[in-house]
């Protein structure tokens, strides 16, 4: 009988399945019945009997989940409530007796679950781990269990975290949450967690472990590593865990910076949201909301961009009215006092101004409150920049002085960046800023690290390119050839003595003249004659003194002295490079640029200082981008530099060559070679035109030049210098993607380089090529044909690689899968509308079959036969008949059973799809164009002849994966007998080839020739 306080077990389980029932009442009622029983064995057996019905259900049904929750609550209800602190000091014997008396049912449930965790049914294993997790999680925080039971649970869950089924591993990992011992460096649970984080293939399992792992110095690096997980959900949870469980002081500066760099630029918006909304606010909360202190924790001098991104995240979450209330120590001039300047508050000032500036017109009023007018700021800026000390070589050895100067230079950089936030619409303010920038660039004591930034801000205020060129050229002239005054230095004491003598002579002359007048008045003529001679002598003496003074004080001449020291040349070349970078690509080089090339850039290339040579090469490459004539003239020089100079300079030259080829194409090489090879001729213009056309048609000279470049690039791909190898691979990828190079051999080299274990640590190279392969193959069908042509050479290279070669470690199956996916017709971004094209996979299938027929006993036959079933074959009957013929020949000669099964399966698929297509075409469709059928029967050779390269049919496969041959035939056969539309008049293949040659040089013959040479 069931009363209000007592309930039958079956009824309790039935009610527990319904979510609206109060489980607390069910637990209390069933517990009341349990407590009244003297022999509880029958209750245990009956309870477990009904529990088993729920444990055999694997699916997360609501009723089953309710039952599991009810069982966990009922079992843990027998635990005593948490004891007050006074009672916790009682004897352990009493506690053990209480445990034994008060937890018989709990112990029974645990024993039952631990005996069942090895069941064959994955559903039972899942429910066992789930129940143990809920039982342990429902216990009080200070709950205790027997040591033996603890060990048994521990061992069972350690086994289950390696279960085959991910859901079982998830529940087992969650069940061990309270079994962790973070203080023990050898804790088995934590070791198992770290192993799962590193090796488990299921993202949900990794997420489960992240949610429950305890933070310690041992586990922190593993959690940080999950912020770079391949799944965005795992990365998101890793950032949440770090925000909730890890104090910012527990992380090193490098770890903080890396977390912000990766999180703020993550590809997933969900991860960015967590960093914006959880991690940064959590760090600020632990620093009492002090943004300046947060910047101090990030070491802004070495990671300014990351700090600015962090500030942007803080500002986005701050109301507009609170932005101006934060810590910015501005005086009444709206400037930070010089004595209060620090890296952090200046960077905060810059970040705040740029954030307000980004709001557009809405932020103009706020910007006026944190920035002064342009003229005031310009005076403030030049005052600070002039105060930056210039260290001698001896002072640079003092680390404290060097650190102080580096700090001042960093602050100067931030102040220069703030120029972009000024209101320069007012003419007076803009002129003052321009004057200050020009003055700072011309001053020799301006630090070299600020020259590039000062030039950039100067050019941003000058919109016209010609005025930019003139301004920078004048500054370069002032820096390289400063005006000096010639003349001897005047001794001040000597000058003063002469002035005194001159004054004495003048006084004596005046006195003598007065005496002379008196003598004449008294008619003392003899005395007057003597005085007249004395006056003459005094005047001569006065003239002599005046001449001496004039000789020593004559104005000095202004002389231009040329400076050729490396620091001055580097400063001038830096300004020139920034000018060329800011110029419009369509702006041609004029006389001023030509003068800079002859007087500054070309001499800089011959300079002995590596930094000067490198910057000169950069400038020369950018100048050539603005003038095709310059590119023709200096291409050979750049090629020589790319092969002979230091690594950094070679890379700069290589970048310049790649840029020129991207802009002008390989026609630049042919024009350069023809120009250099053609001697001056006196023949008529008509004959010269005919000779030039013949030379262009022959193409010997451009092929030689192109071959030399491709040979050089091939050698660079094998270079031991990783930076040079990476730059070459990136350049080749650009040339191939833009259509400047069309080479299957070069693509094969890039694929092998991507898989080569030698490049494993070169993340930039791996990322660049990984993106390139996908974009290149999906761009057009012509690119897929290049990938198809590179298929067999790539596989042969891997198969023939010696055991000592790094290529022997590459998984060939992985390479084959990549090439098959790249050539999949359904992967094209814009499928071709030409119905006469043959599917790329059709040609690939024929190639593999022909390769297998060459040597049916070769080990790669198994690889090719397996690959055939992964191809998306078209519906072209001629191609299918060819394939069937080849497969039938292979079946007769191949002896390997696995290969035979794969080939026979392929034959059956082709036969079945053909039969179904014929059946549907007969029963479902009627001939719609009798004349077309008659024409086809009149000329059977046309229908039986295989389509050539220029007359290919479009592959009709659609979707991301290869559909079944049966379903493909049945679904798409409706269009087989639909008559084709009237063909349009198309240009001949020769006309198309001639048009293509005008825009792109086909380098396949050159590549093949290179292969023969190598």
């Amino acid at each position: 009988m069931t009363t209000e306080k007592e309930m039958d077990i079956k009824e309790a389980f039935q009610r527990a399945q319904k979510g609206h029932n109060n489980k607390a009442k069910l637990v209390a009622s069933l517990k009341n019945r349990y407590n009244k029983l003297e022999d509880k064995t029958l209750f245990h057996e009956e309870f477990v009997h009904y529990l088993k019905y729920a444990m055999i259900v694997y699916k997360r049904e609501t009723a089953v989940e309710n039952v599991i929750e009810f069982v966990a609550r009922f079992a843990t209800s027998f635990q005593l409530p948490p004891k007050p602190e006074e009672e916790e000091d009682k004897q352990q014997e009493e506690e053990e007796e209480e445990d034994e008396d008060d937890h018989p049912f709990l112990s029974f449930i645990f024993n039952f679950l631990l005996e069942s965790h090895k069941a064959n049914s994955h559903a039972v294993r899942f429910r066992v781990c789930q129940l143990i997790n809920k039982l342990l999680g429902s216990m009080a925080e200070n709950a205790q269990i027997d040591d033996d039971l603890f060990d048994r649970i521990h061992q069972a869950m350690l086994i289950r975290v390696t279960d085959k089924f991910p859901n079982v591993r998830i529940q087992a990992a969650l069940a061990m949450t309270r079994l962790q011992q973070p203080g023990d460096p050898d804790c088995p649970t934590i070791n198992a967690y770290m192993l799962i984080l590193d090796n488990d293939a299921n993202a949900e399992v990794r997420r489960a472990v992240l949610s429950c792992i305890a933070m310690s110095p041992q586990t922190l690096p593993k959690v940080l590593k999950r912020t770079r997980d391949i799944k965005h959900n795992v990365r998101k949870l890793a950032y949440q865990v770090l925000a909730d469980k890890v104090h910012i002081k527990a992380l090193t500066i490098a770890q903080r910076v890396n977390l912000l760099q990766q999180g703020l630029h993550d590809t997933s918006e969900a991860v960015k949201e967590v960093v914006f909304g959880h991690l940064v606010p959590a760090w600020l909360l632990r620093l009492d909301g002090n943004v300046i202190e947060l910047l101090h924790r990030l070491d802004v001098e070495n990671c300014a961009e990351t700090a600015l991104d962090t500030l942007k995240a803080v500002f986005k979450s701050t109301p507009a009215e609170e932005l101006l209330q934060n810590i910015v120590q501005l005086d009444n001039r709206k400037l930070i006092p010089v004595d209060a300047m620090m890296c952090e508050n200046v960077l905060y000032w810059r970040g705040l101004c740029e954030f307000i500036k980004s709001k557009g017109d809405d932020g103009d009023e706020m910007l006026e409150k944190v920035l002064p007018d342009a003229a005031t700021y310009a005076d403030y800026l030049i005052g600070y920049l002039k105060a930056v000390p210039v260290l001698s070589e001896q002072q640079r050895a003092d680390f404290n002085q060097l650190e102080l100067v580096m700090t001042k230079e960093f602050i100067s950089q931030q102040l220069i960046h703030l120029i972009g936030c000024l209101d320069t619409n007012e003419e007076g303010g803009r002129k003052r800023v321009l004057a200050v920038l020009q003055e700072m660039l011309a001053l020799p004591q301006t630090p070299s690290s600020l020259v590039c930034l000062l030039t950039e801000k100067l050019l941003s205020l000058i919109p016209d390119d010609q005025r930019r060129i003139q301004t920078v050229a004048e500054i370069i002239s002032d820096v390289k050839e400063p005006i000096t005054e010639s003349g001897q230095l005047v001794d001040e004491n000597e000058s003063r003595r002469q002035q005194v003598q001159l004054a004495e002579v003048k006084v004596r002359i005046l006195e003598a003249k007065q005496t002379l007048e008196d003598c004449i008045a008294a008619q003392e003529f003899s005395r007057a004659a003597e005085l007249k001679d004395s006056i003459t002598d005094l005047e001569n003496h006065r003239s002599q003194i005046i001449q001496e003074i004039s000789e020593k004080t004559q104005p000095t001449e202004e002389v231009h002295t040329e400076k050729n020291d490396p620091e001055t040349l580097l400063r001038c070349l830096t300004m020139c490079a920034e000018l060329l970078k800011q110029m419009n690509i369509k702006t041609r080089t004029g006389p001023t640029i030509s003068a800079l090339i002859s007087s500054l850039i070309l001499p800089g290339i011959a300079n002995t200082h590596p930094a000067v040579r490198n910057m000169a090469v950069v400038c020369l490459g950018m100048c050539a981008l603005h003038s095709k004539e310059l590119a023709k003239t200096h291409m050979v020089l750049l090629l020589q530099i790319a092969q002979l100079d230091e690594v950094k300079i070679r890379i700069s030259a290589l970048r310049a060559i790649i840029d020129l080829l991207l802009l002008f194409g390989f026609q630049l090489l042919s024009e350069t070679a023809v120009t250099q090879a053609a001697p001056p001729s006196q023949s008529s213009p008509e004959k010269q035109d005919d000779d030039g056309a013949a030379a262009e048609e022959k193409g010997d000279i451009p092929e030689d030049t192109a071959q030399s470049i491709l040979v050089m690039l091939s050698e660079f791909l094998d270079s031991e210098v990783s930076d040079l190898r990476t730059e070459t691979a990136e350049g080749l990828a650009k040339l191939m993607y833009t259509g400047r190079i069309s080479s299957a051999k070069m693509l094969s080299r890039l694929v092998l380089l991507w898989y080569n274990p030698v490049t494993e640590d070169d993340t930039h190279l791996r990322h660049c090529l990984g993106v390139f392969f996908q974009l290149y193959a999906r761009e057009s069908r012509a690119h897929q044909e290049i990938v198809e042509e590179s298929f067999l050479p790539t596989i042969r290279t891997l198969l023939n690689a010696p055991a000592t070669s790094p290529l022997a470690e590459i998984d060939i199956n992985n390479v084959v899968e990549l090439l098959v996916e790249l050539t999949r017709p359904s992967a094209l971004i814009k499928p071709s509308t030409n119905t006469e094209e043959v599917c790329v996979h059709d040609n690939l299938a024929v190639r593999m079959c022909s390769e297998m027929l060459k040597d049916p006993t070769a080990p790669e036959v198994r690889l090719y036969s397996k690959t055939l079933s992964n191809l998306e074959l078209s519906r072209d009957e001629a191609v299918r008949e060819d394939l069937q013929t080849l497969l039938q020949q292979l079946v007769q000669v191949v002896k390997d059973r696995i290969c035979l099964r794969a080939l026979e399966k392929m034959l059956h698929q082709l036969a079945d799809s053909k039969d179904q297509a014929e059946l549907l075409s007969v029963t479902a469709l009627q001939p719609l164009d009798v004349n077309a059928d008659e024409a086809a029967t009149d000329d059977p050779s046309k229908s039986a002849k295989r389509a050539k390269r220029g007359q290919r049919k479009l592959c009709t496969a659609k979707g991301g994966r290869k559909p079944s041959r049966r379903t493909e035939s049945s679904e798409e056969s409706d269009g087989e007998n639909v008559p084709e539309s009237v063909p349009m008049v198309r240009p001949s293949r020769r006309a198309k080839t001639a048009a293509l040659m005008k825009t792109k040089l086909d380098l396949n013959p050159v590549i093949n020739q290179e292969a023969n040479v190598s």
Side-chain angles (χ1 to χ4, degrees), residues 762-773:
D762 195 345
T763 54
H764 181 73
L765 173 66
R766 291 286 181 100
H767 178 72
C768 173
L769 291 180
V771 173
F772 161 70
F773 291 142

Side-chain angles (χ1 to χ4, degrees), residues 129-150:
C129 296
Q130 184 187 25
L131 257 176
I132 292 178
N133 173 33
K134 288 187 175 295
L135 287 171
L136 295 176
S138 300
M139 292 181 177
E141 291 185 4
N142 58 352
Q144 297 181 358
I145 60 175
D146 186 68
D147 290 341
D148 293 337
L149 180 59
F150 178 93

